[in-house]
């Protein structure tokens, strides 16, 4: 049986250690992963789907914001990933965004970010850990809820930015207890899902593995000329 091939973008600094984790999750979901990044070849036509990985903050130059002193930026990666999201959408190929990747999906689709999310959402729990200590609520009747359920979820958190104004075609799929957006998704093809946490570190949790399964299901559907949204929505829930 053919395994969908997924292109995965990574940080120039930490990609060497993060990519194997992402690749493991893609494999557990029934796919194969290839690493992309700055100074690495990429080709939308060669893959069935894309993962925009986590890492540095996104430059406010992309969405008209203002730089803050604590931001760590990678303009080359910004340009690469903004292009790849656009190419994936144009080619009708599904995209999963992880942390920074969720923000990039939103920005690439015309949305805005909050540069100091925890300064705005003061009631939100602030954690900086790969351990699942942050509580979020998955909205019912979302594609995310079809794969990960609607029970309160505990996730990790390594971000300072967050989605503020939704990009074209996106809806909120999860938020934290303070109201900060924690996941966004498209409800029309091509499938796109962005989660503000790092599910690749939580591969032992079936609800987190289900996020990668949603992408692989959508990628397989695209290859087979089936409707991606139906493929995700009709998959067996957790």
């Amino acid at each position: 049986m053919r395994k969908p091939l997924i292109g995965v973008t990574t940080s120039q600094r930490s990609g060497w250690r993060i990519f194997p984790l992402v690749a493991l999750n893609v494999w557990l979901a029934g796919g194969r992963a290839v690493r992309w990044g700055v100074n690495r070849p990429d080709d939308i036509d060669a893959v069935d789907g894309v993962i925009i990985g986590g890492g540095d903050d996104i430059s406010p130059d992309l969405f008209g914001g203002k730089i803050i002193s604590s931001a760590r930026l990678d303009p080359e990666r910004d340009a690469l990933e903004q292009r790849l999201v656009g190419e994936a959408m144009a080619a009708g190929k599904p995209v999963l965004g992880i942390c920074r990747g969720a923000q990039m999906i939103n920005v690439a689709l015309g949305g805005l970010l909050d540069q100091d999310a925890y300064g705005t959402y003061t009631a939100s729990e602030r954690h900086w850990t790969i351990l699942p200590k942050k509580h979020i609520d998955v909205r019912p009747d979302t594609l995310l809820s079809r794969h990960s359920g609607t029970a309160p979820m505990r996730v990790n958190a390594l971000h300072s930015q967050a989605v503020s104004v939704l990009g074209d075609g996106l809806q909120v799929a999860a938020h934290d207890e303070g109201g900060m957006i924690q996941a966004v998704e498209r409800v029309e093809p091509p499938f796109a899902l962005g989660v503000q946490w790092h599910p690749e570190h939580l591969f032992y949790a079936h609800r987190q593995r289900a996020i990668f399964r949603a992408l692989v299901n959508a990628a397989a559907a695209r290859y087979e000329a089936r409707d991606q949204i139906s493929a995700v929505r009709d998959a067996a829930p957790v």
Side-chain angles (χ1 to χ4, degrees), residues 2 18 21 77 81 93 147 155 165-166 170 179 219 222:
R2 183 182 183 276
I18 298 300
L21 273 177
R77 186 181 180 194
E81 293 179 339
K93 296 189 176 183
H147 270 60
V155 300
V165 177
L166 290 171
L170 294 177
R222 198 277 178 187

Side-chain angles (χ1 to χ4, degrees), residues 132-169:
K133 292 188 174 183
K134 184 180 180 72
H135 294 79
I136 68 166
D137 294 311
V138 178
R139 289 192 173 181
D141 301 320
T142 60
L143 296 175
L144 177 60
S145 72
R146 282 297 301 165
H147 270 60
S148 292
T150 57
M153 184 184 291
R154 296 182 69 177
V155 300
N156 48 31
L158 295 169
H159 66 98
S160 56
Q161 297 177 321
V163 170
S164 60
V165 177
L166 290 171
D168 295 338

Side-chain angles (χ1 to χ4, degrees), residues 32-54:
R32 299 177 294 132
V34 58
R35 184 181 172 189
W36 289 350
V38 175
N39 299 321
R40 287 176 172 270
D42 61 79
D43 183 2
I44 285 290
D45 292 336
V47 299
D48 302 298
V50 177
I51 293 176
I52 305 296

Side-chain angles (χ1 to χ4, degrees), residues 72-85:
R72 190 176 67 180
L73 307 178
D74 186 343
E76 290 181 295
R77 186 181 180 194
D78 287 345
L80 168 71
E81 293 179 339
Q82 187 176 38
R83 171 177 62 81
L84 288 172
V85 172

